[in-house]
């Protein structure tokens, strides 16, 4: 859910020293991403982002 | 061997690396948080004989690098040799630190220049600064249609710009990159927003430099991925959906945009090539708007933009293409 | 410049014509819709026509009204869009190229008591670029053994790891999945209940089944729940076999196969490398059997959202036969229970499928 930034709510900001558009900035709730011990160094990265495989390897039922 | 400078979170880099592995090409990836140190540079017999840096303590002779991809990030070499105070006098300390930094910056800039001029390369660190205002200027010279743009500090200039007949509504966005921060469980972002008359009336008389642009009514948006003269475009239909009318990063997960492959008209493709040559970028992502009356309006270029979002929906296999270019 | 407004199918929507009706698959929104062949031909032709022009060709008012309702449906679901005629050709079709950076893209590995070949097998699969695999524990599976296996899998940059293990009342599966968050799915076989739980921010499915799904004879099901409205899958389907292309299986005895349900072995992991097995002349024989070559499937509107099976066939003597475990008839557009079809009874016995559960 988007809503506009309400500067009066807690944030004391001197609007004169900020861009005109500061009142129009978007405020969204921070979504906490799922985090886990996905440490892989092989691709030279600490966070290998697993890509979803596009199909079913088997279909058992 | 292929050298890649990237950021550790970048998923596109991993996809390219999978292709390089598949092609049997060896690579080295440096992320922004790897510790890089300058080790040695040597000219002998009127030639560059060696240029060695270390990455997390492991030496890499850049002369042996065959191709180079600047994806994102930077060489993190700041802390080299400068540990603690040099002198008890703060002024001496400050000056010495500055001197040492400049010495190192000079040789590290050469590292970037060497890689971009001597290797088969995609993009470069030195050309990838997003000089949006300058790019806007170059785009005007390349013959692109552009939205009327104002960067102002005073309400009276904004009012005049806004009152000009036939301009319609205005938008505002960052002069430079998008900016965001979190505070008290909320994420604040300056996305592209509409500026209404009431916003102008209620706004301050004087303000920090702010960018305003005429709102271009779009039929659809274009994301154009340019790489070494090749152009891969995607049309983004975000207009179908009121929520994404001003900025498609206001992504609507319930009813997603339509992303489909698109071929640029030859005249527009030519302008893209002229523009990219002029700003000295051999790879980047351009944003454009196509209006209902068929005008192609240039918005901006992002030297290090996401291309997975173009590659996947259009089946362009850009990650494979990049790996092929690096393998040549 | 012309001001004519023509309609265009979003090229992200994939069309497949069957013999009785057609399918519009919409991968970007994860949907698909069956449509009549008459509508299929109107949108497949990509004639630069306006909706009004197309309606004008109708023979009578009734036909025009039907066509109008079709157009409303297409617009409402944003399957077509309206576009200036002079831009219409710039909306180029998607090229259905298929490739993945892997010699072997997915694997099924059965393991026995000691998991003795697992380390070596994983190392070999990695060299082949394998992106996804299924690990099937064929023996009892105490927690210590499970942890041992999962430790071996940890740190492999596989996009997908699916695990099949027998039920063990002492194991806390949810805690296990939280710890080994690279897991995409864990299926607990011979469990007391049938249940499905989504964990790790929905990135892992924990499934309990009363059946022993480790038994390969359970595989090869063709059903709507296994349809994949996906562009990569569609592209693969146009040229390749959607189950067996770039697949490898290592059974509990170390035999290297195309799939655990296919009998042919290409050697044993003890004796040869996976790469040597793949290089054998017949290893890839199924890889290019696509749905356009398979009996009945080639007339089915679902053929490119569906997955194939070459292990259980209606006619085991014909390599191009329809999958046995498909109950769909594309000529009448009806589903029936394949296992209750009297014509399939003998084949089911022949494959030994009747004796499982």
């Amino acid at each position: 859910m988007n809503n506009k930034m309400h500067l009066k709510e807690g944030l004391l900001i001197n609007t004169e020293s900020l861009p005109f558009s500061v009142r129009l900035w978007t405020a969204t709730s921070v979504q906490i991403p799922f985090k886990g011990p996905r440490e892989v160094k092989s691709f030279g990265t600490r966070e290998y982002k697993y890509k979803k495989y596009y199909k079913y390897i088997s279909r058992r039922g | 061997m292929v050298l890649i400078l990237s950021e550790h979170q970048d998923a596109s880099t991993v996809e390219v690396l999978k292709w390089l592995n598949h092609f049997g090409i060896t690579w080295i990836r440096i992320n922004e948080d790897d510790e890089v140190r300058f080790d040695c540079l040597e000219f002998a017999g009127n030639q560059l004989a060696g240029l060695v840096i270390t990455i997390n303590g492991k030496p890499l002779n850049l002369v042996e690098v065959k191709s180079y991809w600047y994806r994102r990030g930077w060489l993190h070499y700041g802390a080299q040799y400068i540990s603690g105070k040099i002198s008890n006098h703060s002024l001496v300390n400050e000056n010495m630190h500055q001197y040492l930094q400049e010495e190192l910056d000079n040789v590290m800039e050469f590292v970037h220049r060497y890689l971009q001029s001597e290797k088969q390369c995609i993009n470069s660190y030195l050309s990838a600064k997003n000089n949006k205002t300058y790019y806007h200027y170059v785009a005007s010279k390349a013959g692109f249609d552009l939205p009327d743009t104002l960067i102002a500090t005073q309400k009276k200039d904004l009012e005049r710009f806004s009152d000009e007949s036939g301009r319609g509504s205005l938008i505002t966005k960052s002069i430079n990159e998008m900016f965001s921060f979190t505070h008290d469980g909320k994420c604040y972002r300056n996305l592209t927003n509409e500026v209404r008359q009431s916003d102008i009336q209620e706004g301050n008389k004087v303000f920090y430099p702010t960018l305003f642009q005429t709102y271009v009514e779009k039929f659809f948006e274009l994301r154009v991925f340019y790489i070494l003269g090749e152009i891969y475009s995607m049309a983004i239909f975000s207009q179908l959906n009121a929520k994404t009318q001003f900025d498609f990063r206001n992504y609507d997960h319930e009813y997603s945009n339509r992303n489909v492959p698109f071929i640029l008209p030859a005249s527009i493709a030519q302008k893209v090539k002229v523009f990219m040559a002029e700003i000295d970028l051999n790879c980047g992502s351009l944003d454009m708007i196509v209006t209902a009356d068929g005008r192609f309006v240039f918005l901006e270029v992002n030297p290090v933009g996401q291309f997975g979002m173009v590659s996947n929906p259009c089946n362009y296999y850009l990650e494979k293409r990049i790996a092929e270019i690096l393998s040549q | 410049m012309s001001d004519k407004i023509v309609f265009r199918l979003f090229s992200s929507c994939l069309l497949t014509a069957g013999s009785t009706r057609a399918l519009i698959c919409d991968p970007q929104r994860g949907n698909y819709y069956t449509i009549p062949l008459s509508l299929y031909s109107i949108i497949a032709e990509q004639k630069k026509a306006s909706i009004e022009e197309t309606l004008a060709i109708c023979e009578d008012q009734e036909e025009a009204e039907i066509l109008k309702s079709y157009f409303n449906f297409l617009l409402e679901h944003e399957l077509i869009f309206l576009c200036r005629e002079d831009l219409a050709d710039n909306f180029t079709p998607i090229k259905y190229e298929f490739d993945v950076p892997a010699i072997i893209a997915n694997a099924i590995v059965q393991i026995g008591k000691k998991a003795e070949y697992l380390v070596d097998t994983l190392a070999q699969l990695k060299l082949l670029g394998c992106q996804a695999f299924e690990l099937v524990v064929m023996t009892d599976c105490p927690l210590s053994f499970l942890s041992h296996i999962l430790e071996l899998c940890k740190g492999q940059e596989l996009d997908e790891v699916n695990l099949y293990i027998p039920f063990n009342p002492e194991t806390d599966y949810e805690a296990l999945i939280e710890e080994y968050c690279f897991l995409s799915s864990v299926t607990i076989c011979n469990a007391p209940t049938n249940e499905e739980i989504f964990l790790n921010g929905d990135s892992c499915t924990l499934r309990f089944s009363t059946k022993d799904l480790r038994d390969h004879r359970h595989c090869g099901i063709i059903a709507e729940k296994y349809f994949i409205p996906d562009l990569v899958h569609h592209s693969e389907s146009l040229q390749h076999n959607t189950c067996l292309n770039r697949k490898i299986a290592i059974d509990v005895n170390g035999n290297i196969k195309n799939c655990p349900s296919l009998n042919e072995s290409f050697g044993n992991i003890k004796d040869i490398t996976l790469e040597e097995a793949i290089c054998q002349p017949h290893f890839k024989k199924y890889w290019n059997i696509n749905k356009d070559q398979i009996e009945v499937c080639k007339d089915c509107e679902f053929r490119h959202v569906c997955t194939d099976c070459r292990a259980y066939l209606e006619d085991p003597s014909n390599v191009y036969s329809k999958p046995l475990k498909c109950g769909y008839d594309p000529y009448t557009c009806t589903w029936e229970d394949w296992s209750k079809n009297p014509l399939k009874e003998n084949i089911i016995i022949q494959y030994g499928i009747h004796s499982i559960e």
Side-chain angles (χ1 to χ4, degrees), chain C residues 123-350:
Chain C
Q124 288 193 46
L125 286 173
K126 188 169 176 175
L127 284 176
L128 295 167
C130 185
Q131 301 168 312
F133 87 143
E134 276 189 6
L135 197 57
V136 188
V137 179
M138 300 302 283
T139 56
D140 300 343
C141 196
L143 186 59
S144 58
F145 183 56
L146 194 54
S147 303
H148 169 65
I149 295 167
L150 290 172
E151 282 299 319
L152 295 178
C153 297
K154 198 170 156 179
Q156 307 276 336
E157 62 286 329
L158 286 153
D159 288 328
E160 187 154 318
V161 178
N162 301 310
L163 186 66
Y164 289 82
I165 48 177
F167 179 70
N168 180 342
E170 275 142 48
T171 307
D172 180 349
Y173 296 110
E174 294 190 27
L176 197 82
I177 287 169
E178 203 173 312
E179 186 176 351
Y180 297 99
C181 63
F182 57 84
L183 291 164
S184 314
S185 83
V186 176
T187 304
I188 315 299
C189 304
N190 297 328
T193 53
N194 286 308
E195 201 184 343
E196 224 173 44
I197 305 164
F198 298 97
L199 299 167
N200 291 358
D202 289 351
S203 74
C204 185
T205 310
L206 172 61
R207 186 168 34 152
F208 293 90
S209 174
T210 51
K211 294 182 189 171
D212 189 358
L213 295 179
R214 297 173 301 162
D215 189 325
H216 58 77
R217 288 172 297 178
H218 279 295
C219 195
I221 301 283
I222 306 285
E224 236 182 317
K225 65 173 175 180
Y226 294 122
F227 283 177
I228 306 165
D230 179 87
L231 174 61
V232 179
H233 180 79
H234 183 95
S235 304
E236 184 174 30
S237 177
L238 288 169
Q239 297 151 71
H240 302 287
N241 190 275
T242 41
C243 185
L244 298 169
N245 186 38
R246 304 201 202 191
K247 184 185 240 88
I248 202 164
I250 295 113
D251 78 9
V252 69
N253 300 313
N255 294 313
I256 304 165
K257 297 175 167 185
N258 292 125
C259 138
S261 298
L262 286 162
N263 294 327
E264 189 176 1
S265 169
F266 296 87
N268 197 287
I269 192 88
K270 280 180 286 197
D271 313 316
I272 63 167
T273 63
L274 296 181
E275 196 167 3
E276 283 166 341
I278 296 159
C279 290
Q280 291 192 32
H282 298 302
F283 190 86
K284 300 177 183 173
K285 64 172 175 262
Y286 298 112
W287 288 18
N288 294 329
I289 299 182
N290 66 38
K291 285 287 194 187
D292 294 328
Q293 300 162 356
I294 295 167
E295 306 289 330
V296 188
C297 293
K298 63 185 174 196
D299 292 325
C300 180
E301 65 276 19
F302 294 120
R303 67 188 179 278
H304 298 307
V305 291
C306 191
T307 313
D308 193 44
C309 174
R310 289 298 93 203
Y312 303 109
L313 304 175
E314 272 190 4
D315 175 3
S317 68
N318 175 9
V319 73
Y320 297 106
S321 165
K322 181 189 172 185
L324 175 70
K325 299 186 184 181
C326 173
Y328 185 68
D329 181 344
Y331 308 107
T332 59
C333 303
T334 50
W335 291 87
E336 60 165 41
D337 187 345
W338 62 273
S339 64
K340 301 215 165 69
N341 184 338
L343 296 173
K344 296 189 177 185
E345 205 181 321
N346 280 335
I347 316 290
I348 289 170
I349 293 166
Q350 202 177 316

Side-chain angles (χ1 to χ4, degrees), chain B residues 146-149 159-170 197 213-217 291 293 295:
Chain B
L146 296 161
D148 284 343
T149 301
E159 282 171 338
R160 180 182 46 76
F161 184 73
S162 160
D163 289 346
E164 216 125 300
S165 64
R167 267 221 175 97
S169 52
L170 299 183
Q197 279 305 319
Q213 250 172 15
T214 47
Y215 171 62
V216 183
E217 190 82 44
T291 62
D293 58 353
R295 283 191 308 129

